[in-house]
Amino acid sequence: MNRVPHCAECQFVKMYDITYKNYYCDHEDRINDMGNLGVDHPPKTSPKWCPLRDK
């Protein structure tokens, strides 16, 4: 069964708590250079540029 990956379960999600909780993707094959996922919480499903969607 193919399912969309969830960022909350991903090992590549990093959170930086500076002013807000900023979530980033740390996967080296990501298409998005910044890897920004969201503020205060990761997205419910991975973005379209997620490298794990193809697997």
Side-chain angles (χ1 to χ4, degrees), residues 23-54:
Y23 289 87
Y24 293 94
C25 177
D26 198 27
H27 196 284
E28 62 187 30
D29 293 333
R30 71 180 181 269
I31 296 170
N32 182 321
D33 288 336
M34 290 295 293
N36 188 17
L37 295 172
V39 178
D40 290 332
H41 54 81
K44 293 188 185 288
T45 59
S46 64
K48 291 182 180 182
W49 51 262
C50 176
L52 300 180
R53 276 186 176 250
D54 296 334

Side-chain angles (χ1 to χ4, degrees), residues 10-32:
C10 185
Q11 64 184 358
F12 297 108
V13 172
K14 303 294 181 209
M15 189 268 297
Y16 299 99
D17 191 5
I18 300 172
T19 303
Y20 300 99
K21 292 181 181 178
N22 294 306
Y23 289 87
Y24 293 94
C25 177
D26 198 27
H27 196 284
E28 62 187 30
D29 293 333
R30 71 180 181 269
I31 296 170
N32 182 321

